[in-house]
Amino acid sequence: MNVGEWAGLVAAAGSILGGGGWFVSRATRDAARATAAATEAAARANAAPAQQQASLAVLEATVKRVDEENGSLRGKMSRLEAVLRAFAWTTDRWSQQMHRAGIEPEPPHPLVEEYNRTGV
């Protein structure tokens, strides 16, 4: 073989090996990406229980607060209903006193009539 033939052979081998190097570098890059994705997924999986615990703590605190507010509102509502019943009883008694005295009272408001009819 002469020098020109050797140069051609070396050039051909270089292009074949150079192309193989491209495939190797691409596979290495893809493997690095896969490893990074797996590491990130593992980190997320390890963080998930802590995140769930934090979310559960927030939910429990919210439920406790809402229960306390509901208890307070129920107490206020019960008191308001008791005052309304007492007021209705008092005004009914006054109305009866006026009828016995021959005084015709003003007609009650429609909401009062509805309450007297239904209790609601």
Side-chain angles (χ1 to χ4, degrees):
M1 285 188 136
N2 65 22
V3 173
E5 291 173 346
W6 278 107
L9 183 64
V10 168
S15 66
I16 291 172
L17 292 177
W22 179 78
F23 286 112
V24 169
S25 69
R26 186 172 175 192
T28 303
R29 184 192 66 212
D30 291 345
R33 285 183 182 163
T35 302
T39 303
E40 183 180 335
R44 277 195 308 265
N46 289 336
Q51 180 63 35
Q52 284 181 335
Q53 189 65 29
S55 296
L56 180 61
V58 168
L59 179 62
E60 287 174 342
T62 302
V63 167
K64 182 180 177 187
R65 181 182 53 81
V66 168
D67 283 346
E68 289 172 359
E69 287 176 2
N70 279 345
S72 174
L73 289 174
R74 284 181 180 154
K76 289 178 182 179
M77 185 64 116
S78 178
R79 178 70 179 147
L80 181 62
E81 289 172 350
V83 168
L84 178 61
R85 280 191 299 275
F87 181 76
W89 180 78
T90 301
T91 55
D92 183 56
R93 203 181 60 194
W94 290 342
S95 176
Q96 289 174 10
Q97 287 176 349
M98 290 175 75
H99 280 296
R100 282 193 304 266
I103 303 170
E104 188 61 35
E106 290 287 323
H109 188 278
L111 290 176
V112 174
E113 283 185 7
E114 181 181 347
Y115 175 79
N116 288 335
R117 245 185 1 266
T118 64
V120 179

